[in-house]
Amino acid sequence: MRDYKRAKELFKETLDTRYYFDSVSAEVVKHKIENAIEDRDASLIFLLGDPGVGKSYILRLISSRLEKESLSIFIDHPFFDKRDLFKILFEAKNIEFNADMNFNGLKDMLFDLYRGDRHTIFIDEAQLLNEDQFELLRIMSDTSIFQFVLSMHKEEGGAILEKKQFRSRAKVVVEYAGLEHSEVYRYIQSTLLLDNHGEISQMFSLKDAKKISKYSDGNFRTIKRFVYSLLTLLEYAKVNGIERYDKINNCILQMSALDIGVIDDK
Amino acid sequence: MTNRTFEELEARCKAMNSKRYIKISLALLVFFVLIAFLCMKFFYNPKPQKINKVVVTSNTKVLNQDIEMPKEVKVEEVKRETAIQKVVKTKRATNQKVAKQTVAKQSIQKKSEKIEKERVEEKTDSKKEIKREQGVDKKSPDNSGEVYDTLFLKPNIFVPRDGSDANIKKRRDRGSSKKRSGAKKGDEEIQRALFEDERLLLKRNRANEGFDTTLRLSKYYYKISEYQKAIYWLKKANKYRPSSFEPWLIYAKIKIKQNKRDDAIKAVEAFLSYFDSEDARKFLIKIKRK
C-alpha cells in the first residue's frame, strides 16, 4: 500500500535534528566544526554555503550536542541591536537584563558573568549583521570567553571575510557543498524506509535519483521540495486513477521540476 | 494538488518534450544534410569533358579542330535531325576523322624518314665542303668587304651575280636537300615540305623536349633564315647543355650573318670564359681574322 500522503510529510522543510542525513559533505563539515570548537585558538568559525545546503541544520545539530557539555547558544536570526545579543546572553544565564545600564557597563558585567569557561555562540544568517555588530563579535571573541560559529551565504561571506577586522585574525572557514548524485538516492531511500515506505522507496531507481539531483543541483532544500512535489503528483494520479503515472517516469519528474520552478518551459 | 494544476503541468511537460524532439530532429537533419553535401563534394567531382564539335558542312574538311558552325545552319540542322541521328552522325564523323588522321600520320612519318636520310647526306656533304673551303678567300666575290661565313654547316649561301635579295631568298628557301636531289619542285611543294618539317620537329620536341630536339629546331630555323626563332631555340638548347659549344656556334654565325661580328666575337669569348673548348678557340681565331 502506497501512502504518498504520509510519505511526503517526511520531505517537508524541518530542522528536526532527529532526521539527520549523514552525507559525506555533512559529516566533513560537522567534523571540522567540532574540531575547531575544541581548538582553543579558534574563536571565530565561519560556515559558508549556498542557501538550502543545510548550514542551519548542521549548526543546530552541533549546538544541540554541545549543550550537554558547555553553554551553547543558538541564535537563528541576527540580533538587530548590539544590546539584543547581551540580552540573549544574560537571559541564557537566567539573569535579568538591565536595559538602562550603559553599553560598557553591560559588557563588563557580561564578561564577568561568563568568565572561567569557554562558550560557543552559533549565529545563523550572519551575513545580515552590520559593521557595528561584527565589531562587537570581534571584541567579544578577543576575550577568549566567547567563541562564535557564524553561518552565512557563500557569496556574501566571502566579502565579509575580506574585511580588515577578520582578515588579520585567526579563523576557521568551512565550506559546505551540496549532495553528490549517489547520495541523493541513498537519502531518499533511507528517509522513506525510516517510516516504513518500502513500496514507495522501490519506485525510485538510481537513474531517477540522478535526474532529481540534476534538477536540484545537489541542494538539500530543493531535493526535499522536489520529492515532496513528486509524491504529491503521484498521490493525485493514484486518487484519480491515472494509470500512466503508476510509476515514476520522465514526464512526472519533469512535472515536479516545473511545479517547483527549477526548469522553465518558456 | 488540483485537477487543473495537474493537467496544466502535464500539458506543459508534453509541450516541452515535443519542442525538444523537434529541435533534436532538426539538428539531426541539418547534420545529415551537411554530411551528404560534404560527401558529394569530396567524392563525386566529375571532370568536365571536352566535346569536339563536328563541322556539318559537306564541302570543307577539317581535321581535329573545334570549329563552330554558323548559327543559322545549326538551327536548321537541329530541327531536321533527332537526337539519336545526331549522335550516330557525330560518331561516324569522328571515325572518319580518326582514319584520315592515321593516314596523314603515316605520310608524315614517311616524309620525316626521307628528310632524315637527306639530312645525313647533307651533313656529310657539308663536312666535305668545309674542308674544301678552308683555303678559300673569305671575302665576297665582288670585293664589297662583306664576309660570308664559310664555316656554316650549311654551305648553301652564295652571292648572286646581280646581288638581288629576292633571288638569294628564293635559293635559300629551296633548301639544300631539295637542290641536291636534283628534283625540280614547285614552290608550293617546297613550302609544304618545309611546313611539314617544322611540324614534325615541333611535334618531336613536344613529345620529348631536350638538347637534341631544341638544337634541331634551331638549325632548321637557321636554315630558313628565321634567326629570331633560331635564337629562341638556341637558348633552350643551351639550358639543357650549357657546356656544349654548338648552340653558341650557331648563335655566332647568326650574328655574323646579321653583320654583327663584334657580337659574335663577344659571345664566343664569353663561352670560353666559362668552358675550355678547342673548337671554340679555333672558331674565335677564324672570325677574328678579317
Side-chain angles (χ1 to χ4, degrees), chain A residues 232-233 236-237 242 244-245 250-251 254-255 258-259 263-266, chain B residues 1-7 9-10 12-17 19-20:
Chain A
T232 309
L233 289 167
Y236 179 86
I242 305 169
R244 59 182 176 275
Y245 300 115
N250 277 338
C251 195
Q254 269 183 348
M255 283 162 70
L258 284 165
D259 189 33
I263 57 169
D264 195 7
D265 55 340
K266 286 167 191 174
Chain B
M1 175 67 55
T2 61
N3 190 26
R4 192 178 169 184
T5 314
F6 189 91
E7 280 174 5
L9 284 171
E10 202 179 0
R12 280 169 74 187
C13 176
K14 282 179 183 173
M16 221 169 73
N17 282 336
K19 273 185 198 173
R20 197 174 62 195

Side-chain angles (χ1 to χ4, degrees), chain B residues 22-177:
Chain B
I22 289 166
K23 276 183 192 173
I24 290 167
S25 45
L26 275 172
L28 280 171
L29 188 70
V30 166
F31 176 72
F32 284 124
V33 164
L34 200 67
I35 296 285
F37 176 74
L38 287 170
C39 288
M40 275 184 70
K41 199 176 175 185
F42 285 116
F43 296 119
Y44 181 70
N45 195 7
K47 289 179 185 176
Q49 291 176 358
K50 283 187 183 177
I51 299 164
N52 287 331
K53 288 184 184 175
V54 180
V55 177
V56 176
T57 55
S58 56
N59 294 329
T60 57
K61 292 175 186 178
V62 181
L63 299 172
N64 202 24
Q65 278 184 356
D66 293 342
I67 292 173
E68 277 189 354
M69 287 170 22
K71 281 186 184 176
E72 297 135 358
V73 174
K74 223 186 209 178
V75 168
E76 284 177 6
E77 292 282 339
V78 164
K79 279 179 184 174
R80 283 175 206 164
E81 298 169 349
T82 60
I84 296 164
Q85 283 173 348
K86 268 189 199 173
V87 168
V88 168
K89 269 196 179 179
T90 52
K91 275 188 183 174
R92 277 186 201 160
T94 50
N95 288 336
Q96 282 171 4
K97 251 204 274 181
V98 167
K100 282 173 189 171
Q101 280 173 16
T102 49
V103 165
K105 275 181 191 174
Q106 283 171 3
S107 62
I108 287 165
Q109 272 178 0
K110 284 179 188 172
K111 280 174 188 171
S112 66
E113 281 167 14
K114 273 188 196 174
I115 290 163
E116 284 288 334
K117 282 181 191 173
E118 283 161 5
R119 207 173 278 152
V120 167
E121 286 170 12
E122 191 191 318
K123 273 189 183 175
T124 51
D125 290 342
S126 65
K127 278 181 186 172
K128 286 178 191 171
E129 281 196 30
I130 286 165
K131 283 180 185 172
R132 254 190 280 142
E133 286 170 11
Q134 271 179 356
V136 173
D137 190 5
K138 305 291 184 298
K139 286 185 183 175
S140 62
D142 57 355
N143 291 321
S144 62
E146 290 178 12
V147 177
Y148 289 92
D149 192 5
T150 55
L151 296 170
F152 293 163
L153 296 173
K154 177 192 155 195
N156 266 340
I157 309 302
F158 62 91
V159 180
R161 283 178 192 172
D162 59 353
S164 65
D165 290 336
N167 288 339
I168 293 166
K169 202 179 174 184
K170 266 188 187 174
R171 281 168 193 151
R172 280 180 188 166
D173 286 346
R174 273 182 200 165
S176 61
S177 60

